[in-house]
Amino acid sequence: MPRPKVLERLQSAEEEADEIVALAANDRDERIAEARERAEEIRSQAEQEARELKEQRLEEAREEIDAECERLLEEGEAEREALEGRAADRVDEVTEYVVTLFQEDVHAQT
């Protein structure tokens, strides 16, 4: 093969190789950009899911706290009523005791 033809074929092959490398570089850049976009979408979705889960757990915790508060209030009310009942049952006894003490004090002074 004559030299000019060989040089021409070499140049053509080099140009073709340069085009292939450029296309590969462009393809690589596009794939990297797509991967970054997808990664951002995944991150954003994960953050949204985390926020929703946090809100759900906070709401559940609030409901548990409200239920516990209600239970404690009801328990306290029941204890108060029991104490009032016991105190009411002892009014006559205490009144009699105070009257007895008063009478003893009056007799002691006379």
Side-chain angles (χ1 to χ4, degrees):
M1 194 184 284
R3 266 188 149 173
K5 212 46 160 167
V6 170
L7 286 174
E8 215 175 86
R9 285 187 73 193
L10 281 174
Q11 284 177 335
S12 176
E14 285 177 353
E15 288 172 4
E16 192 176 316
D18 288 344
E19 286 177 25
I20 291 171
V21 168
L23 287 173
N26 284 341
D27 187 47
R28 179 201 66 213
D29 292 343
E30 287 176 10
R31 288 180 187 228
I32 288 172
E34 288 173 3
R36 286 186 176 140
E37 286 177 21
R38 180 67 182 135
E40 178 60 28
E41 289 171 7
I42 291 170
R43 184 193 63 77
S44 179
Q45 183 179 2
E47 286 178 350
Q48 178 62 29
E49 289 172 2
R51 279 191 295 274
E52 289 171 2
L53 182 60
K54 178 182 121 181
E55 287 302 316
Q56 178 186 356
R57 287 188 177 166
L58 282 172
E59 183 60 30
E60 289 170 359
R62 285 184 188 109
E63 289 173 3
E64 287 178 18
I65 289 169
D66 288 345
E68 178 68 8
C69 184
E70 185 64 30
R71 185 189 68 76
L72 289 172
L73 287 172
E74 288 173 3
E75 190 177 287
E77 179 69 19
E79 287 181 27
R80 183 189 60 79
E81 288 174 2
L83 285 172
E84 284 178 349
R86 281 186 276 168
D89 291 344
R90 296 196 63 204
V91 167
D92 291 339
E93 180 185 332
V94 171
T95 303
E96 187 178 313
Y97 177 72
V98 170
V99 168
T100 302
L101 285 178
F102 179 73
Q103 287 175 344
E104 288 175 359
D105 193 34
V106 169
H107 288 306
Q109 291 179 4
T110 56

